[in-house]
């Protein structure tokens, strides 16, 4: 239901739950985009800063459909649909 709602709202999901990546990839869809947090910390201010920076740096990819995996070392962009 969350994924379908994100598609209908043209929203980008942000989650620390790895299941969202699997759901989106296995669907073969090009939406919704996802910022997938795979970081080892839970500091809210630090997370907010990182999410903002990643969203700015990957804006065009997120608008077109992508999963952006964020870890302690940086981020990677996977364009949807993932093949």
């Amino acid at each position: 239901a969350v994924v379908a709602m994100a598609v209908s709202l043209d929203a980008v999901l942000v989650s620390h739950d790895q299941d969202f990546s699997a759901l989106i990839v296995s669907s073969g869809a090009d939406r919704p985009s996802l910022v997938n947090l795979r970081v080892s910390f839970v500091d809210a201010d630090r997370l907010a800063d990182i999410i903002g920076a990643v969203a700015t740096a990957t804006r065009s990819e997120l608008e077109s459909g992508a999963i952006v995996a964020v870890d302690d070392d940086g981020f990677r962009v996977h364009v949807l649909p993932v093949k």
Side-chain angles (χ1 to χ4, degrees):
V2 172
V3 173
M5 182 175 282
V7 170
S8 71
L9 296 173
D10 198 27
V12 175
L13 293 173
V14 177
S15 180
H16 199 269
D17 184 337
Q18 304 309 305
D19 291 340
F20 282 109
S21 288
L23 285 169
I24 294 168
V25 170
S26 67
S27 76
D30 63 356
R31 293 276 194 286
S33 288
L34 169 69
V35 176
N36 184 13
L37 302 172
R38 304 179 67 157
V39 295
S40 62
F41 55 88
V42 292
D43 179 87
D45 291 332
R46 187 172 171 196
L47 284 171
D49 289 344
I50 288 172
I51 292 166
V54 167
T56 299
T58 63
R59 180 178 178 170
S60 64
E61 291 90 344
L62 291 170
E63 288 175 347
S64 298
I67 294 175
V68 179
V70 181
D71 61 26
D72 292 341
D73 297 319
F75 65 89
R76 294 172 308 287
V77 177
H78 306 277
V79 176
L80 292 173
V82 175
K83 303 196 184 217

